[in-house]
Amino acid sequence: MAHVKLHIPGPVEVSPRTFEAFCRPMIGHRGQGFKDLYAGLQPQLQTLLGTRQLVYLSTSSAWGVMEGAIRNLVARKVLNCMCGAFSDKWFDVSKKCGKAAEALQVPWGSPIRAEAIRARLATGEFDALTLIHNETSCGVMSPLAEIAALKQEFPGVTFIVDAVSSMTAVPIAFDTLGIDVLLAGTQKAFALPPGLTVFTCSAAALAKAALAADRGYYFDFVEFEKNARESMTPSTPSISHVYALAAKVSEFFVEGLPERYARHEHTNQQLRDWGARHGFTLFPEPGFESKTLCCFNNGAKPGGRVVDAARLQKLVKDQGFLIDGGYGKIKGTTFRISNMGDETEATMNVLIAALDKAIAAL
Ligand SMILES: *Cc1c(COP(=O)(O)O)cnc(C)c1O
């Protein structure tokens, strides 16, 4: 069967070079070969995340560490900031972990703002909050720096941030932000196969986790720290992913991080321009649009062009590209196209030509 190239917002297209690294022969995860691999990767990961803390590798999709963060770091009550499908679900996960949780819900398409968080944290009820930086389901990027600045007012609150679809595409400096947990699954902006999550924790978060009674084992953050000090993971990791990650992160530094951020800005603008040319408006509130995907409004909000999203998706797929027909309750009334990973101006132009053809054939 002919391969359909992924332009959905995750998983995204994986390059042959990354697969080649993925398929290297297996080694023991307690041997020097693995330790060297992990240790060699560490400085680059620390630069990428803007941290002097150790960066951990979890063999799980992002939800493993998202749930783990709740189990390790919520003692009294968590404020779940919600603006789309993934952030909404984090609230359910908190409750399923048996935690006291409160929803800070804004309409899908709106960002989370610091002022709303401040009002809730000021009650003194909370010892943790969860935030999704780039809400992939509706293409909204919340202002992380503005929110992280609250940490100075509420130092006792643990700030847990998901950057699954933004880490590596826009600059995020963990230590400067002063947050407590930063995590990303690697099948989105990293463009690796699904199954690995990269994350880091503040010293305060690790000290707090050490006191959490029911934090479990597989996602015990204290175990991650202890093992990372020896350049290892708590249990057998997907070693193939670590090979692939090492190859991928090296590519980031060959390109240059500023250049990588600029490339995403540019390829995202190409998509926005394509939409504008065809009369589509963007679903997110202006000023808070994602840089790694476009969520186009297709009737969910007044204004702009409306088409049969499923038919558009099919016409694009027939030309060898998969775009997304909208997520959850905005399926069909929005559609999404990703520019994450290795996409360049040239590869986006090929996609855009297919999109143009599809629109003409609607
Ligand atoms: C995809 C995604 C997740 C969930 O990732 P899984 O790989 O399914 O665990 C969480 N948060 C965001 C922002 C995402 O885009």
Side-chain angles (χ1 to χ4, degrees):
M1 214 172 68
H3 175 60
V4 178
K5 186 183 173 192
L6 299 183
H7 272 281
I8 53 174
V12 307
E13 191 70 9
V14 176
S15 73
R17 208 201 292 188
T18 297
F19 276 126
E20 212 174 282
F22 197 88
C23 290
R24 286 180 53 188
M26 217 29 62
I27 53 175
H29 69 295
R30 300 291 181 222
Q32 198 56 45
F34 182 81
K35 289 185 182 185
D36 291 346
L37 176 64
Y38 193 160
L41 185 52
Q42 195 57 236
Q44 289 189 323
L45 286 176
Q46 287 174 314
T47 303
L48 191 61
L49 275 67
T51 188
R52 298 174 67 179
Q53 295 293 105
L54 292 172
V55 179
Y56 316 132
L57 306 179
S58 171
T59 291
S60 66
S61 76
W63 274 115
V65 176
M66 290 164 79
E67 176 173 327
I70 299 293
R71 295 189 64 184
N72 280 264
L73 296 170
V74 179
R76 263 183 308 130
K77 188 172 181 184
V78 59
L79 182 68
N80 298 114
C81 302
M82 295 151 66
C83 62
F86 293 107
S87 46
D88 288 6
K89 190 167 162 183
W90 218 346
F91 176 55
D92 294 335
V93 171
S94 301
K95 288 185 292 183
K96 282 181 178 172
C97 290
K99 303 295 184 182
E102 183 177 304
L104 172 57
Q105 179 88 65
V106 300
W108 286 26
S110 296
I112 302 291
R113 300 304 303 264
E115 212 36 62
I117 296 177
R118 176 186 282 118
R120 294 311 302 148
L121 294 188
T123 63
E125 288 174 34
F126 302 95
D127 72 310
L129 76 81
T130 65
L131 174 79
I132 290 191
H133 176 219
N134 191 58
E135 180 44 88
T136 322
S137 63
C138 52
V140 170
M141 198 173 268
S142 287
L144 181 54
E146 165 191 307
I147 294 165
L150 290 172
K151 180 76 192 179
Q152 295 190 337
E153 274 173 67
F154 304 101
V157 178
T158 307
F159 281 46
I160 304 163
V161 177
D162 161 327
V164 171
S165 57
S166 53
M167 187 190 285
T168 84
V170 301
I172 305 174
F174 181 77
D175 290 353
T176 308
L177 288 168
I179 54 178
D180 296 287
V181 178
L182 180 67
L183 68 101
T186 55
Q187 80 274 26
K188 308 247 171 118
F190 278 81
L192 294 186
L196 186 73
T197 295
V198 168
F199 73 111
T200 193
C201 285
S202 67
L206 289 168
K208 187 179 180 185
L211 302 175
D214 298 315
R215 62 185 188 271
Y217 168 67
Y218 199 72
F219 297 107
D220 179 351
F221 288 4
V222 179
E223 283 287 334
F224 274 95
E225 169 67 19
K226 201 173 83 188
N227 279 276
R229 286 187 185 168
E230 316 266 326
S231 301
M232 290 190 295
T233 51
S235 45
T236 319
S238 170
I239 293 164
S240 304
H241 273 99
V242 185
Y243 282 138
L245 180 66
K248 198 82 219 177
V249 170
S250 300
E251 287 176 26
F252 297 169
F253 285 90
V254 170
E255 180 180 15
L257 295 183
E259 289 77 8
R260 181 173 172 85
Y261 304 142
R263 175 165 61 77
H264 281 85
E265 179 106 29
H266 180 67
T267 51
N268 191 256
Q269 189 62 46
Q270 287 180 277
L271 281 178
R272 294 185 196 196
D273 292 346
W274 169 81
R277 230 174 22 249
H278 291 285
F280 294 110
T281 54
L282 287 165
F283 180 72
E285 198 176 302
F288 301 97
E289 303 92 343
S290 170
K291 299 285 174 69
T292 59
L293 70 137
C294 280
C295 182
F296 290 106
N297 179 39
N298 188 41
K301 283 183 177 175
R305 183 169 180 180
V306 178
V307 298
D308 179 342
R311 184 161 157 73
L312 173 64
Q313 192 183 27
K314 162 115 185 24
L315 288 166
V316 176
K317 191 174 178 188
D318 289 345
Q319 298 176 76
F321 301 94
L322 192 64
I323 62 168
D324 176 85
Y327 195 101
K329 66 184 181 192
I330 52 171
K331 185 179 167 75
T333 59
T334 60
F335 62 92
R336 302 177 302 163
I337 308 174
S338 162
N339 60 293
M340 288 177 215
D342 302 332
E343 303 307 331
T344 62
E345 177 178 302
T347 66
M348 292 304 289
N349 280 334
V350 179
L351 170 73
I352 285 166
L355 289 167
D356 283 340
K357 255 193 184 171
I359 291 284
L362 270 174

